[in-house]
Amino acid sequence: MELPVNAKKLIATLTAAGYDAYAVGGFVRDSIMGCEAGDIDITTSATPQEVEAVLADNGIKFVETGIKHGTVTAVIERESYEITTFRTDGDYLDNRHPENVQFVRNLKDDLARRDFTVNALAYNDEVGIVDEFGGVEDINNKIIRAVGDPDRRFKEDALRIMRALRFAAVLGFDIEEHTSQAVFDNKDLLKNIATERIYTELVKLLLGDYCEDILLKYRDVFAVVLPELAPCFDFEQHSKWHLYDVYTHIVKSVALTPKKDYMRLAMLFHDIGKPFVKTTDDNGQDHFKGHPIISEQKARVILDRLHASNGIKHKVQTLIANHDYYITPKPSNIKRWLRNLGEDLTLDYIDFKIADLMSHNLDLSMPEIDTLKRIKLQTIEIINSGEPYRISDLAIGGNELKQIGFEGKQIADELDKLISDVSGNPTLNQKEKLLHIAEADYKPIRKRNRLKNYDYSSNGAYFITICTKEKAKFLSSVVGGGVPDAPKINLSYYGTIIDNQIIEMNNVYENIVAEKYVIMPNHIHILLNIVTGSSGTPTPTNSLVSMWVSTFKRFTNKRCNTSIWQRSFHDHIIRDEDDYLLHLQYIDENPKKWLIGEDEYYS
């Protein structure tokens, strides 16, 4: 076993001073396995004070990093080595840290307190390997076994449960029977462990080559630290696209995902929303519409709880939220993804979708997988070609648009429009051509009057439009023929409530009457007739109209058991009934254009 020069020097220095000193733990284990070894920890019979004295006498710098637990960190040529005194541990009242430690002179006593036999190994060049608990044999047999009583080991430090699973997932070892049973018996102790520690072990585990077996076999343990996974256990997917229940599909997808922490975390959470949105059609096929939204929301909660970095959270949530969308071979579409996600995350997104599809029914998903592989090559070609797809790639910028007359958000909108045009046709990316397009696009935009600011002081009829909060909420189902008005529209559940509520509102405010209204797929038009007050003078209707809308919102939200309205409302400046009918004409002439499926709309 070849120790690094500086580690060998430290061990030799302590040995020359009359103390025992060894490399211990993971370095020894990995060296025996022929793996690339990591950092070296050194253990010694010298007390911390004796270690410091030896280091000082030999001109070696040191830092007191854990004197209470017997650790001094030596620094040689900017390399750090932790040197810890042989010790035994006191009681672990918090299932994580010993209340106290006792320094000892016997190496075996020190090795006996360690977690697993494969880690209870020591080595120096003079003595060779010290193996008091059969660690070498367990390495040869690929076994993770607790040192001594496994139940006691896990009660001492519950994080060892996650470490056992992590070692098995990374090394491909089996967990010995009694140790495995103790993992299950003590799993609830993981609730006492800091989430940051859980997160560190979880990420290492997910990056292991053998994570699939561990995630499946020990799923009840993972449910303790990630309870959001539990609803996915044995949750069947009766669909021609799927062969496995939700959790099994998740796990198999994780194992197929490239070894990047954020990608495997995203895959672990990408379908956890499915149990909450499942529907079954008349043919017995299950559907999970909207599950990426629920999954992304739950992933955000989990990652906040685990104290993941903002960078990790952004990537995980982005991959989950987009994993059911399609990227097509069309260059302009690829460029749109590059513009929205960036180069690295777009390539990750393609790999993510491939891994997800690889754990579907391959008889059906293989054509899409092959297409995605070709799209990835196209994406790399576009990146390397330098073709424009970012706003910064445009031959003009915001200053040129200001000179034309664009202002504020109009500038950003026009730049988005121009880069979309250029993405589909790179030859347009010339200053003169882009200026010509922008000048043609420019139209002085009439500023809309906010409801709260519009002057309703005079009597008369006012048409207002109130929009839904989300496109997922639809007020009407199918628009009828002729000029649409309330009786000619088939109303959804929400629309029926709106229909009844508008009629009732006429009994709430004597100065405002809803004379005519129409309920559209995602908004309503209302003709409000404002009358004078009893004194014969105009009513101060600015606040009154706002109160009418606020009351209407409150009543309808209460009956819908959810908030369906946007917070700010716009008067669409419809001045008279002719203008109103003209606004509705498109719906009258093109009703099918509102329909995507049987019950879905776009606006």
Side-chain angles (χ1 to χ4, degrees), residues 126-142:
E126 183 178 345
V127 177
I129 296 173
V130 179
D131 179 12
E132 298 285 355
F133 301 99
V136 173
E137 182 180 359
D138 283 342
I139 288 174
N140 292 333
N141 292 326
K142 296 187 175 183

Side-chain angles (χ1 to χ4, degrees), residues 355-396:
D356 186 12
L357 290 167
M358 286 292 290
S359 59
H360 282 61
N361 180 354
L362 290 179
D363 289 341
L364 298 178
S365 64
M366 205 64 214
E368 186 177 351
I369 292 171
D370 291 337
T371 299
L372 284 167
K373 290 179 179 179
R374 291 193 296 272
I375 290 173
K376 183 176 181 181
L377 294 177
Q378 281 183 267
T379 304
I380 294 172
E381 289 177 2
I382 290 173
I383 293 171
N384 293 336
S385 72
E387 291 183 20
Y389 63 85
R390 295 164 295 198
I391 289 176
S392 60
D393 295 330
L394 287 172
I396 67 172

Side-chain angles (χ1 to χ4, degrees), residues 77-302:
E77 297 176 351
R78 297 185 179 181
E79 292 183 340
S80 298
Y81 296 88
E82 288 190 353
I83 303 174
T84 304
T85 303
F86 298 164
R87 74 184 203 197
T88 58
D89 296 335
D91 294 331
Y92 288 74
L93 300 183
D94 64 353
N95 303 120
R96 180 71 182 101
H97 305 97
E99 293 297 299
N100 54 71
V101 300
Q102 181 177 349
F103 301 137
V104 296
R105 298 290 186 179
N106 187 290
L107 173 61
K108 183 176 181 179
D109 291 338
D110 181 83
L111 297 177
R113 69 177 178 83
R114 297 180 181 267
D115 51 8
F116 309 113
T117 60
V118 297
N119 295 329
L121 298 166
Y123 172 86
N124 66 27
D125 289 342
E126 183 178 345
V127 177
I129 296 173
V130 179
D131 179 12
E132 298 285 355
F133 301 99
V136 173
E137 182 180 359
D138 283 342
I139 288 174
N140 292 333
N141 292 326
K142 296 187 175 183
I143 296 292
I144 298 296
R145 185 194 311 273
V147 175
D149 179 11
D151 192 67
R152 177 181 176 183
R153 290 285 88 83
F154 293 138
K155 281 184 168 60
E156 288 173 343
D157 182 358
L159 186 62
R160 289 170 174 167
I161 295 172
M162 289 297 294
R163 283 171 57 82
L165 301 184
R166 187 249 293 182
F167 285 131
V170 172
L171 300 176
F173 286 16
D174 292 325
I175 301 177
E176 179 268 334
E177 179 182 357
H178 298 293
T179 304
S180 178
Q181 185 59 51
V183 164
F184 285 109
D185 291 344
N186 293 280
K187 66 182 187 299
D188 287 331
L189 296 179
L190 287 169
K191 296 175 182 177
N192 301 332
I193 302 301
T195 53
E196 299 93 325
R197 298 286 187 178
I198 298 291
Y199 176 66
T200 299
E201 294 296 332
L202 175 66
V203 169
K204 292 178 180 178
L205 185 156
L206 292 176
L207 295 177
D209 288 333
Y210 307 93
C211 64
E212 179 180 342
D213 295 338
I214 300 304
L215 287 168
L216 289 174
K217 182 175 180 179
Y218 293 93
R219 68 180 195 179
D220 291 339
V221 178
F222 292 103
V224 174
V225 295
L226 299 172
E228 293 84 355
L229 292 175
C232 301
F233 297 167
D234 302 318
F235 195 92
E236 296 296 335
Q237 303 182 88
H238 299 110
S239 166
K240 64 182 181 180
W241 294 98
H242 286 282
L243 302 176
Y244 311 106
D245 63 75
V246 174
Y247 184 70
T248 303
H249 163 70
I250 286 174
V251 171
K252 289 184 175 293
S253 298
V254 169
L256 293 166
T257 302
K259 288 187 185 179
K260 296 181 180 180
D261 52 3
Y262 57 89
M263 291 187 72
R264 290 206 164 184
L265 282 166
M267 194 62 82
L268 184 65
F269 305 138
H270 82 288
D271 275 353
I272 58 177
K274 279 188 171 180
F276 304 93
V277 297
K278 175 182 173 180
T279 59
T280 303
D281 63 25
D282 294 339
N283 297 320
Q285 291 289 295
D286 292 338
H287 302 278
F288 304 93
K289 292 182 179 180
H291 79 271
I293 297 173
I294 305 300
S295 299
E296 185 270 333
Q297 292 171 348
K298 290 183 176 295
R300 181 169 62 246
V301 172
I302 295 170

